[in-house]
Amino acid sequence: MDFFETINKRRSVRSYSRKLIDKEEIKKIIDAGRLAPTARCEEPWEFVVVTQRERLEALAAITDHGKFMASASAGVFVLCKNTKYYLEDGCAATENILLAAASLGIGSCWIAGDKKAYADKILKILKAPQDYKLISIISLGYPAEGAIDRDKRDLEDVLHWEEF
């Protein structure tokens, strides 16, 4: 898929079919996250992929708006070492993951992580080192029939030249 077509078609998916994602496809998606831009070349990220159904269900239950992850093929947990620009770096990696999934025809949804009340509990379950932050949770799976979210605002509604 063309780059701009991928960006144009990417939407949050919260309903998934039962079709599993091949491990090699997941590795491609995570590799895209690894290649994200990073401040000061620190690459503070680590990626924990959960595919085991019981673990996905348990982790989804902890979230406040990510319960749908229980039906996904995988959950990707983007963690970053607590560096000066951990949030920016982790968000860049997250966006690369979302776009890579879309380019492969795999649905995804960015579930909040950083600053959420459940973040520390999830980090503990994942056995992350203490100096790491949960940046995001990303559900991955093949979209169920009619699972794509709404359209985006038009460019003319958000683009401003020279000043707001």
Side-chain angles (χ1 to χ4, degrees):
M1 190 179 308
D2 169 79
F3 178 73
F4 288 101
E5 183 182 355
T6 298
I7 288 176
N8 206 13
K9 289 187 175 189
R10 194 224 58 83
R11 294 291 185 273
S12 294
V13 175
R14 293 178 177 85
S15 182
Y16 302 99
S17 74
R18 295 200 175 271
K19 182 180 176 185
L20 298 178
I21 303 170
D22 181 73
K23 190 174 185 177
E24 292 305 310
E25 297 287 273
I26 293 173
K27 287 170 74 173
K28 282 183 193 176
I29 292 167
I30 300 305
D31 199 35
R34 175 188 69 85
L35 295 171
T38 174
R40 304 187 299 195
C41 205
E42 289 185 339
E43 301 180 33
W45 44 63
E46 301 289 337
F47 308 95
V48 178
V49 177
V50 175
T51 58
Q52 193 177 65
R53 179 66 43 218
E54 299 79 28
R55 288 183 61 82
L56 270 175
E57 290 171 355
L59 289 160
I62 294 169
T63 69
D64 49 11
H65 299 288
K67 309 283 188 226
F68 57 86
M69 184 175 64
S71 68
S73 293
V76 177
F77 297 79
V78 179
L79 314 179
C80 280
K81 188 178 281 192
N82 191 7
T83 61
K84 183 173 183 177
Y85 298 106
Y86 76 91
L87 187 57
E88 292 86 345
D89 287 352
C91 288
T94 299
E95 179 66 9
N96 274 16
I97 288 169
L98 296 171
L99 292 173
S103 76
L104 296 170
I106 296 169
S108 64
C109 188
W110 183 334
I111 302 165
D114 190 58
K115 300 175 184 71
K116 293 299 259 180
Y118 56 75
D120 287 339
K121 189 171 186 180
I122 287 178
L123 288 168
K124 188 172 185 170
I125 290 170
L126 297 176
K127 298 183 179 175
Q130 279 195 323
D131 61 339
Y132 278 78
K133 302 263 191 184
L134 175 65
I135 305 306
S136 61
I137 304 168
I138 305 163
S139 58
L140 293 176
Y142 290 98
E145 193 76 27
I148 306 301
D149 257 1
R150 62 189 163 98
D151 287 333
K152 301 288 186 174
R153 292 166 51 197
D154 289 333
L155 178 62
E156 293 77 25
D157 294 337
V158 299
L159 175 62
H160 310 276
W161 294 99
E162 310 305 335
E163 58 188 40
F164 196 92

